[in-house]
Amino acid sequence: METRGGDAFASDTDTGTGADVVFVYRPAVEDFEEALRARALRTWAGRLQAMTVPVASVGALAVLGVVVGMSAPVLSVALVLCAAIVSWGTLRALRTQARQLFSVVEPYGQCRMVADERGAVSTGERVSFTFEWAVHRGYLETASLFVLLGGERSAGIAVLPKRGAQGPEDVERLRGILDRNLTPLQRQRL
């Protein structure tokens, strides 16, 4: 991978070898919501993050209810209400986190991502960056996204909407590249 004159593309891009996959898209907040939801449902770390506060809250309320001597019906209603309210709060927190992630990439405008066996280059209207596949530990696939999960050398997630593909064959080609270079985490598609 190399960067030339502010426009970063895989070094084979101009040779017409056909080894590169190109996606062109404009990021959307819904992409990040879907990515975070998929991470919360399909990775151990995501489930832990999503469930810690609700489980701890219900557990703390249960202990408090027993200590203060709440009647069983009152405690049961309180636990159900607590679980519902805290779960709703957790979902709102995921949406807030998605909006925060989107606010970071929104200034990039329309993005062009070129991927090959070595990694990918993403060029936006105001920024370009290059990464090798090794910076990610794996990926998730949803009905409309590829979600690259950070590894030891990369925090967070990278979201790649399938709507940016030039055609269905490019989605298949990118899936093949990702399968060869990253660990697919739960093949099912949401």
Side-chain angles (χ1 to χ4, degrees):
M1 310 303 270
E2 62 185 41
T3 302
R4 290 188 225 141
D7 286 330
F9 298 104
S11 59
D12 305 356
T13 302
D14 299 328
T15 65
T17 62
D20 301 330
V21 179
V22 178
F23 279 55
V24 178
Y25 60 95
R26 184 170 295 277
V29 71
E30 295 81 14
D31 298 334
F32 291 93
E33 287 178 10
E34 184 176 340
L36 291 174
R37 214 174 22 255
R39 180 182 174 271
L41 291 172
R42 300 195 307 193
T43 68
W44 184 86
R47 286 188 294 267
L48 180 65
Q49 180 183 12
M51 295 304 297
T52 298
V53 172
V55 169
S57 297
V58 169
L61 181 59
V63 169
L64 179 66
V66 168
V67 168
V68 297
M70 283 185 174
S71 67
V74 171
L75 182 57
S76 297
V77 169
L79 291 173
V80 168
L81 286 174
C82 178
I85 291 168
V86 174
S87 295
W88 176 81
T90 300
L91 289 174
R92 295 294 304 162
L94 279 176
R95 287 190 178 130
T96 299
Q97 186 179 7
R99 284 193 306 274
Q100 289 170 340
L101 290 170
F102 174 69
S103 72
V104 172
V105 299
E106 182 180 23
Y108 297 176
Q110 182 168 304
C111 296
R112 181 174 192 259
M113 187 279 310
V114 180
D116 64 18
E117 292 296 330
R118 294 168 292 180
V121 177
S122 183
T123 304
E125 293 171 2
R126 295 179 183 87
V127 70
S128 296
F129 60 91
T130 302
F131 62 86
E132 295 178 1
W133 297 123
V135 301
H136 297 284
R137 65 178 165 86
Y139 80 96
L140 296 170
E141 184 177 353
T142 71
S144 60
L145 301 172
F146 290 105
V147 182
L148 308 179
L149 301 172
E152 290 178 15
R153 300 183 298 173
S154 171
I157 61 173
V159 176
L160 184 58
K162 293 178 183 178
R163 68 177 179 276
Q166 306 304 299
E169 65 281 353
D170 284 341
V171 172
E172 291 299 323
R173 288 176 54 216
L174 182 59
R175 184 179 297 118
I177 289 171
L178 294 175
D179 283 345
R180 287 187 294 277
N181 292 285
L182 297 173
T183 303
L185 304 172
Q186 295 185 355
R187 175 55 81 190
Q188 75 208 37
R189 296 182 196 137
L190 294 178

